[in-house]
Amino acid sequence: MNFLRFAVRRLLEMAATLFVASFVVFGAMYLAPGSPAGFLLSGRSASPAALQAINEQYHLNDPFPVRYLRWLGQVLHGDFGRSLTYRTDVSRLLADRLPVTLTLVAMALLIVVVLGLALGWIGAVRGGAADSAVLVSTMLAVGTPSFVAAVLLQGLFSVRLGWFPSSGAGQGFADTVWHLTLPAVALALYLVGLLARVTRSAMLDELGSEHVAVARARGVPERRVIVRHVFRNALGTVLTTGGLVVSTLLVCTVLVESAFSVGGLGQLLELATTTKDFPTVQAVALIIVGLFMAVNLLVDLVHPLVDPRVVLGARRSAA
């Protein structure tokens, strides 16, 4: 029952936040310099009759609350309007490009989780030269922005060695993985270093805790101590960075997709912003906010399952 109440409360909070985000996303168009009609005309001159026709077509003469509620109602029915650049429904653009971005983010997230946890484990457990190597490598990874990693990887593995394509998303599963490998690595590099450092720090804290010393004194095998008493307890701290990891992936995908011409939501957002395609910008921004909040909700619900000391966001009192 407590879990159900918590889930319902978090869903209501998510809905309220999405409502506020939709208001900000829609209102940002009207905060930009100039009039919406001027953006639609792209600097071209128009007669008063043509200007009036544009205002009537896009309901620009209606009060702002009326325009917002009309747009919100359309969004709730899956209608994000019509792209001013591509001259097609924004929903169709999203349907074509969203799978590419989700695949790219999923591949990058897999790299981050596998390498980040492995490097953090090695640094904390083995220590010595291995720990030093982990610290140096993660420092380099954290200090390399995604767009720099994209340029370096593209120049070396695509242009010089020819191992991977330099652009496109491919067709079919194997071809898509081949095309998205370099973008995924570029997208994941910074976060691999971040997650490795968080994992290492959390595991070192657990290694120095009293319950680990008690387990060792009782003769529990070292491997079991590391897995059950150190790594498992450290996962709670690691999991709290999940929202940050995914939000960073969603933000940085704009730069990486543009560098590799992947053709996902990130590149669509960059092109729509450049051409002032407001319906497309609004739709992509709202989708990204929704994905980010869904991931945070999932982290909040999974956290108590990973860390038994956590009960719906609250720590149990020590026994």
Side-chain angles (χ1 to χ4, degrees):
M1 183 61 68
N2 289 336
F3 181 83
L4 181 60
R5 284 202 299 265
F6 174 76
V8 171
R9 179 170 61 84
R10 290 290 287 115
L11 285 172
L12 292 176
E13 292 174 355
M14 180 178 174
T17 305
L18 279 175
F19 176 77
V20 174
S22 69
F23 184 84
V24 173
V25 166
F26 182 80
M29 172 179 174
Y30 298 92
L31 294 177
S35 65
F39 286 123
L40 294 172
L41 291 171
S42 301
R44 299 187 301 269
S45 59
S47 63
L51 190 61
Q52 182 178 357
I54 291 176
N55 289 330
E56 291 177 355
Q57 179 182 355
Y58 291 93
H59 307 283
L60 297 178
N61 290 327
D62 294 340
F64 176 81
V66 175
R67 295 196 300 270
Y68 167 69
L69 292 177
R70 180 186 294 112
W71 173 80
L72 182 61
Q74 293 173 343
V75 168
L76 293 177
H77 288 86
D79 181 8
F80 291 93
R82 191 170 179 82
S83 170
L84 305 178
T85 301
Y86 297 93
R87 305 297 180 183
T88 187
D89 291 338
V90 176
S91 300
R92 179 174 298 178
L93 293 175
L94 296 177
D96 292 339
R97 295 174 180 256
L98 182 58
V100 177
T101 295
L102 292 180
T103 303
L104 175 59
V105 170
M107 289 178 60
L109 186 60
L110 179 62
I111 295 172
V112 171
V113 171
V114 172
L115 291 183
L117 292 180
L119 289 175
W121 178 302
I122 292 172
V125 173
R126 294 193 177 181
D131 189 26
S132 299
V134 168
L135 288 175
V136 172
S137 60
T138 55
M139 180 179 65
L140 292 175
V142 171
T144 305
S146 296
F147 67 92
V148 174
V151 172
L152 294 176
L153 292 172
Q154 194 174 45
L156 177 60
F157 293 102
S158 294
V159 178
R160 187 176 182 85
L161 298 177
W163 292 355
F164 296 94
S166 60
S167 63
Q171 297 180 350
F173 177 77
D175 193 38
T176 298
V177 171
W178 185 43
H179 276 76
L180 296 183
T181 295
L182 285 186
V185 172
L187 192 57
L189 186 62
Y190 165 79
L191 292 171
V192 167
L194 176 65
L195 187 63
R197 285 177 169 264
V198 171
T199 303
R200 174 184 175 275
S201 177
M203 291 187 67
L204 287 176
D205 288 343
E206 293 296 332
L207 282 169
S209 62
E210 183 178 351
H211 68 90
V212 171
V214 171
R216 284 172 171 167
R218 292 172 55 191
V220 178
E222 184 66 15
R223 182 175 180 180
R224 187 176 179 183
V225 170
I226 297 299
V227 174
R228 298 193 60 179
H229 296 274
V230 176
F231 184 69
R232 183 181 178 184
N233 288 338
L235 275 182
T237 302
V238 174
L239 189 62
T240 58
T241 64
L244 173 62
V245 168
V246 176
S247 64
T248 303
L249 289 176
L250 292 173
V251 171
C252 292
T253 189
V254 177
L255 302 174
V256 173
E257 287 186 10
S258 298
F260 286 93
S261 299
V262 170
L265 282 185
Q267 187 179 15
L268 177 63
L269 178 61
E270 188 268 335
L271 293 174
T273 303
T274 302
T275 58
K276 297 182 175 64
D277 188 351
F278 285 104
T280 304
V281 173
Q282 291 168 343
V284 175
L286 200 58
I287 290 294
I288 291 176
V289 171
L291 290 174
F292 171 64
M293 295 191 61
V295 170
N296 279 337
L297 175 62
L298 182 62
V299 169
D300 287 344
L301 296 178
V302 172
H303 198 175
L305 303 178
V306 173
D307 190 348
R309 298 170 298 178
V310 177
V311 180
L312 304 181
R315 293 249 176 201
R316 286 193 185 120
S317 58

